[in-house]
Amino acid sequence: MDLGLDDILDDVAAIQRIPAIPVILQVLAKATGMGFLVVARVTAERWVACSVLDRIDFGLTAGGELPVKTTLCSEVLDFGREVVIDEVATDPTYAAHHTPALYGLQSYIAVPIVLPNGEVFGTLCAIDPKPHKPSESVEIFRLFADLISFHLDALQKLDQSRTELTQANAELDNSRFDLATSQASLLDAETGSELREQFIAVLGHDLRNPLAAIEGGRRILSNQVSDPKSERVLRLMGESVSRMSGLIDNVMDFARGRLGGGIGIERSPDGEIEPLLSQVINEIRSAYPDREIITNFAISEPVSVDHARFAQMVSNLLGNAITHGSESTPIRISAAAAGDGFELSITNAGEPIPPAAMERLFQPFYRGQVRPSMQGLGLGLYIASQIAKAHGGALIVRSNAQETCFTFRMPLRQSEI
């Protein structure tokens, strides 16, 4: 059945109501290296983009439409299974197919999004003009397609419940109306909690398992090779695994901060924070031996923090100073604890942060202007701010032509938090 304009708008709106979708596309882009990812509504007559991540200037945005017969998604719809191409030029089935030639693509994957009633809503797709290995990520695409289906079904049931509730309210008096509204709010809260828990579980389990398998294989191979070329390749693989593991950690923290109940902490009772600061600073110095870091600690009171999370926040802030600060001027880090409060400041010279960027600095996936060699999702400062909040404190920033300074403040007494 053909989709009308209202149906299209409803489907696009439904996908955009799911807060996990942008994160899913970001994660899949990092996992595959592919540049254009889309959640598409597909029928026999139409192909409509509902949510898009475009890093190759493909030129299609949410609500945009392609002739369905020019896409490979029509085959997904016809046969009810995914289409996966690592390299069009060497693929015996699709090397001469009109779709890759028309859109200039070399790698492609489309996995059906099947609703619980068996209807194919559409596809979760990724394309790129260069060859990649989407065949290695089919299971992750399937898991995320199932998660999107779960979200869509839950939204439909919620909308149906709200409609039925509205109809019932017309026949109820004020007291019964208040009770029904409370029940609807409880349903929303319970369903939202279930969705958040499932999404975080998918990230934590199913994204780490393939990475662990790759690292395990790399370690086995590293004990069996001795030639310099192979050792270099294995070393680069190890660095890529570490970088991907860090990205997954950041996405997990983002999911907890935005979709879950916030980042949880467990404060250490010993109150020893100076050795922890020194450890983080020494790690940064080892990674960047050409950068000078000057410290000034005046910690006369015990400071109870979650050691792992506090170290993560300090590392993120120092990494930000390394990335954006002047290479010719030392980075200064100071910490003081006295009376009722603790304060940590990290200061670097360099270009000031533009006022427009200041407004978005602690938002997720915002990276500002970075060097081409710098990689990441733009979650570091967002996660740092969430860790500060979890400790009952706050992270603030000031920036001018002379220096940029990030300051974390929190009360020393937990009863004050």
Side-chain angles (χ1 to χ4, degrees):
M1 182 176 66
D2 194 11
L3 284 175
L5 178 59
D6 290 341
D7 297 318
I8 294 173
L9 294 177
D10 287 344
D11 290 335
V12 173
I15 290 295
Q16 293 184 349
R17 286 170 61 193
I18 302 173
I21 295 292
V23 181
I24 289 174
L25 298 183
Q26 291 271 0
V27 171
L28 291 178
K30 287 294 179 183
T32 63
M34 299 172 75
F36 181 83
L37 296 97
V38 60
V39 176
R41 179 65 164 108
V42 185
T43 70
E45 294 80 18
R46 307 185 82 156
W47 186 105
V48 183
C50 297
S51 184
V52 171
L53 175 62
D54 186 2
R55 295 178 173 175
I56 58 173
D57 294 327
F58 187 78
L60 196 68
T61 58
E65 187 169 355
L66 297 176
V68 69
K69 295 303 181 184
T70 69
T71 73
L72 294 177
C73 290
S74 60
E75 297 187 13
V76 176
L77 193 67
D78 292 340
F79 301 108
R81 56 178 174 80
E82 59 264 10
V83 173
V84 184
I85 310 170
D86 286 343
E87 184 173 4
V88 169
T90 60
D91 192 286
T93 303
Y94 294 101
H97 197 281
H98 64 87
T99 295
L102 176 63
Y103 294 112
L105 59 93
Q106 276 296 312
S107 52
Y108 177 92
I109 181 170
V111 173
I113 300 170
V114 183
L115 300 176
N117 63 5
E119 176 192 352
V120 178
F121 172 86
T123 56
L124 178 59
C125 300
I127 69 171
D128 200 272
K130 298 178 181 179
H132 290 280
K133 292 287 186 182
S135 59
E136 298 177 354
S137 303
V138 173
E139 286 301 322
I140 299 177
F141 272 77
R142 289 174 180 165
L143 286 165
F144 279 136
D146 289 343
L147 183 59
I148 293 170
S149 171
F150 181 87
H151 275 271
L152 288 169
D153 184 61
L155 285 175
Q156 183 181 10
K157 289 178 179 177
L158 282 173
D159 289 342
Q160 182 178 355
S161 296
R162 288 171 178 146
T163 299
E164 294 173 354
L165 182 61
T166 300
Q167 294 173 347
N169 284 341
E171 303 173 2
L172 296 176
D173 56 27
N174 290 337
S175 61
R176 296 182 64 191
F177 172 81
D178 292 340
L179 175 61
T181 301
S182 299
Q183 291 172 337
S185 299
L186 178 60
L187 176 63
D188 281 351
E190 291 175 348
T191 304
S193 176
E194 183 178 353
L195 294 177
R196 291 191 294 268
E197 290 171 2
Q198 182 178 3
F199 177 64
I200 294 173
V202 167
L203 285 176
H205 181 269
D206 295 293
L207 293 183
R208 292 189 190 279
N209 281 355
L211 204 63
I214 293 172
E215 175 61 10
R218 188 194 70 82
R219 290 181 178 177
I220 293 173
L221 290 174
S222 66
N223 295 324
Q224 300 175 356
V225 300
S226 58
D227 61 288
K229 183 177 180 181
S230 297
E231 290 177 346
R232 179 177 180 274
V233 170
L234 290 173
R235 178 176 58 79
L236 292 174
M237 287 177 61
E239 292 172 357
S240 296
V241 167
S242 296
R243 186 167 60 252
M244 189 64 189
S245 179
L247 291 173
I248 292 174
D249 288 341
N250 282 345
V251 172
M252 285 285 291
D253 287 336
F254 166 77
R256 293 188 183 101
R258 289 288 288 267
L259 307 179
I263 293 177
I265 64 169
E266 293 185 11
R267 295 178 185 267
S268 174
D270 58 28
E272 293 290 333
I273 198 172
E274 193 164 335
L276 182 62
L277 285 168
S278 298
Q279 177 185 343
V280 175
I281 293 167
N282 288 335
E283 290 174 356
I284 296 293
R285 283 172 172 159
S286 297
Y288 301 94
D290 296 333
R291 302 298 295 273
E292 183 180 0
I293 301 175
I294 299 174
T295 61
N296 179 23
F297 299 152
I299 304 173
S300 59
E301 298 282 344
V303 182
S304 179
V305 297
D306 183 310
H307 279 196
R309 288 300 188 182
F310 182 79
Q312 181 183 10
M313 179 185 72
V314 176
S315 180
N316 284 358
L317 293 175
L318 274 175
N320 184 76
I322 293 286
T323 299
H324 298 283
S326 169
E327 296 181 1
S328 61
T329 305
I331 295 169
R332 304 193 311 276
I333 175 169
S334 63
D340 295 331
F342 171 76
E343 180 174 300
L344 171 78
S345 295
I346 296 177
T347 306
N348 62 267
E351 293 294 324
I353 302 172
M358 291 280 278
E359 298 176 0
R360 302 178 56 194
L361 206 57
F362 297 114
Q363 295 180 10
F365 302 115
Y366 181 71
R367 302 184 65 207
Q369 298 296 321
V370 297
R371 302 184 184 110
S373 61
M374 296 298 172
Q375 300 184 22
L377 293 174
L379 290 172
L381 290 180
Y382 168 76
I383 291 170
S385 69
Q386 292 297 301
I387 294 173
K389 182 179 179 181
H391 282 83
L395 187 61
I396 60 175
V397 59
R398 58 177 175 80
S399 184
N400 53 44
Q402 285 73 44
E403 62 182 24
T404 294
C405 180
F406 285 84
T407 300
F408 164 64
R409 296 190 181 100
M410 77 168 193
L412 287 177
R413 309 291 179 260
Q414 293 189 40
S415 60
E416 299 173 12
I417 298 175

